Amino acid sequence: MSSNLTPREIVSELDKYVIGQKAAKRMVAIALRNRWRRNRLAPELRDEVAPKNIILMGPTGVGKTEIARRLARLAGCPFFKVEATKFTEVGYVGRDVESMVRDLMEIGVNMVRTEERDRVRVTAEEHAEERLLDLLVPGGQPQGQGAGFFMRPAAEPLADKDASTREKLRKLWRDGALDDRIVEVEVRSQSGPQLEIAAIPGMEEMGMQMQETLGRMFPNKKKLKKMKVREAFEVLAAEEADKLIDMDKVLEAARERVEQDGILFVDEIDKIAARSEHGGPDVSREGVQRDLLPVVEGCVVNTKYGMVKTDHILFIAAGAFHQAKPSDLIPELQGRFPLRETLEALGKDEFYRILTEPRNALTVQYKALLETEGLTVDFTREALEEISALAEKINEETENIGARRLSTIMEKLLAELSFAAPDRGGQSVTIDRAYVQSQLQDVVEDRDLSRYIL
């Protein structure tokens, strides 16, 4: 299901959410387009073309994760983000490296199942409507699974009067007149003990097998539950959709999509780089790299949905690389990440664009949040320029946390308005440069205070 967007179109789409970082956007756009190209090769050559994995370098808050996440959403492919610091060698506290492939497969299955549910939704809703009318018709016989208040022998034919009543109820239901009526429906319930098993570090596969075994020993049962008609319809529609879905085909499609189009984003990879100043190899860090190597190279991972090959999964690694550098990684792992790009630190010009251009800009979010209370808020250009300049100044004087600084500043700036918003419904407030300075000047001038607050 590789995207058929051209690299130029991919960069254009990423521009709607991520400001700047043209070089990084071009690199991931080419990587995504190469998947589309690979799918059009002859089968014997297709398997030989390996993905060109990427390392994104740059300080926090410059858009590394957002670029990868938006890329996956754009392509409609399974995507999973994990921090490299969660992993460690077997025998040390931490997760098994292969668990990220299992998590990616879980995401792939859910994605395909959702698509299949949408595909059969119309038919499922038709079946659910019939079952719902079985519950509503006095003396009606429920079809399939599901229970109502009234039952009668199945052998008794449906009278013309019952058919007329059924059609009247159908019209009332479609008009929304029955939404608040209470019916009794069978729903799945968990019998026996809860089957959540704490993962043993490095032994997730054994825990997975134990959970499956206990799941067969204590299968889900059904119980009667009273609920409103609208809620009951959604429950019945979900059940009917599950009946129409061929899970074997779903699993096969999900495995194919994960293996061919999956993206694994490994963040904080610089934290597992062995640093030369230690005077020797760091066992835990180097061990994580050696465990990570076969997964990135290509191996077969056992999941509860079957075996998954990682040969053509695209790995995007990211890290600040303040103290370590990519050459501190073991040579074998370096060779598996041939593409590297450094993302630029952000300044006031980029901060201003971040506040004004993206569809999900912070200013848009805060205006919408306060609008729910009836309070209209507008930002002047001068106010946004002042906020951008303050963000740059504080990043330079304290820790540089990139665009995340804007969130701390905006929250502090609008704290008073947010608190009083329920009492100011119907009012309008304009945030100008003077307002920004009055709300933030004391904190900005007190450098020690700004360290803790902004």
Side-chain angles (χ1 to χ4, degrees), residues 38 43 52 57 106 123 142-143 163 166 198 277 323 345 404 422:
R38 176 179 166 270
K52 306 301 184 288
M57 299 172 286
E106 193 75 44
T123 304
Q143 297 177 358
R166 189 182 186 90
E277 65 265 21
Q323 298 174 336
R404 293 188 177 94

Side-chain angles (χ1 to χ4, degrees), residues 90-267:
V90 174
Y92 293 83
V93 176
R95 295 185 67 193
D96 173 12
V97 169
E98 292 183 349
S99 64
M100 64 181 175
V101 181
R102 298 189 191 104
D103 292 334
L104 184 67
M105 183 63 187
E106 193 75 44
I107 289 169
V109 170
N110 290 336
M111 182 179 288
V112 176
R113 184 192 288 126
T114 300
E115 290 173 2
E116 285 296 299
R117 280 179 175 166
D118 290 341
R119 187 180 63 80
V120 302
R121 183 171 182 82
V122 173
T123 304
E125 288 183 347
E126 289 174 358
H127 293 177
E129 183 178 77
E130 295 305 321
R131 286 181 58 186
L132 187 64
L133 292 173
D134 289 338
L135 303 179
L136 294 170
V137 173
Q141 169 66 30
Q143 297 177 358
Q145 295 179 347
F149 291 114
F150 305 94
M151 303 283 286
R152 72 176 181 183
E156 185 179 338
L158 186 67
D160 291 341
K161 183 178 179 181
D162 287 344
S164 174
T165 302
R166 189 182 186 90
E167 292 309 311
K168 288 178 182 176
L169 287 170
R170 190 191 305 276
K171 185 176 186 309
L172 288 171
W173 151 247
R174 291 180 176 178
D175 291 341
L178 303 179
D179 285 358
D180 293 329
R181 181 177 292 192
I182 301 298
V183 292
E184 198 169 34
V185 184
E186 277 186 345
V187 296
R188 294 187 182 93
S189 66
Q190 179 67 55
S191 62
Q194 296 299 309
L195 303 181
E196 290 295 326
I197 298 176
I200 305 168
M203 302 181 70
E204 283 89 350
E205 186 174 336
M206 182 182 295
M208 181 178 65
Q209 292 170 351
M210 288 178 62
Q211 190 160 342
E212 286 181 358
T213 302
L214 288 174
R216 288 192 292 268
M217 291 172 59
F218 300 101
N220 288 337
K221 291 187 177 180
K222 292 198 170 187
K223 66 177 181 180
L224 292 175
K225 184 178 180 181
K226 292 182 180 180
M227 60 182 73
K228 291 184 178 180
V229 166
R230 171 55 62 181
E231 184 183 352
F233 176 74
E234 296 299 330
V235 171
L236 295 174
E239 279 189 17
E240 291 299 320
D242 287 340
K243 292 178 187 176
L244 294 167
I245 292 173
D246 185 341
M247 278 308 295
D248 290 335
K249 289 184 178 179
V250 167
L251 298 182
E252 188 60 36
R255 187 182 303 111
E256 176 75 11
R257 190 175 300 185
V258 166
E259 291 180 347
Q260 303 301 323
D261 296 328
I263 297 177
L264 276 170
F265 185 83
V266 185
D267 204 0

Side-chain angles (χ1 to χ4, degrees), residues 7 10 16 33 80 142 183 217 223 277 298 311 386 400:
I10 294 169
K16 296 176 182 177
R33 184 65 175 184
F80 183 66
V183 292
M217 291 172 59
K223 66 177 181 180
E277 65 265 21
D311 301 63
E386 183 71 14
N400 186 356

Side-chain angles (χ1 to χ4, degrees), residues 367 370-371 373-380 414 417 420-421 423-432 435:
K367 286 167 72 172
L370 294 173
E371 185 65 38
E373 303 272 12
L375 179 61
T376 303
V377 176
D378 288 308
F379 295 87
T380 66
L414 298 174
L417 276 179
D423 305 320
R424 302 185 62 174
Q427 298 182 19
S428 297
V429 177
T430 299
I431 308 293
D432 55 16
Y435 186 91

Side-chain angles (χ1 to χ4, degrees), residues 29-39 49 52 339:
I30 292 169
L32 189 62
R33 184 65 175 184
N34 279 340
R35 289 188 155 189
W36 180 87
R37 293 164 179 159
R38 176 179 166 270
N39 287 337
V49 178
K52 306 301 184 288
L339 303 181

Side-chain angles (χ1 to χ4, degrees), residues 269-310:
I269 198 168
D270 57 317
K271 305 298 190 298
I272 62 168
R275 295 160 195 161
S276 55
E277 65 265 21
H278 287 180
D282 186 314
V283 175
S284 182
R285 287 195 180 103
E286 192 168 313
V288 176
Q289 295 181 59
R290 295 199 180 280
D291 284 347
L292 194 58
L293 182 61
V295 181
V296 178
E297 281 183 331
C299 67
V300 178
V301 176
N302 184 24
T303 74
K304 67 179 181 181
Y305 301 110
M307 309 301 282
V308 176
K309 294 180 181 178
T310 67

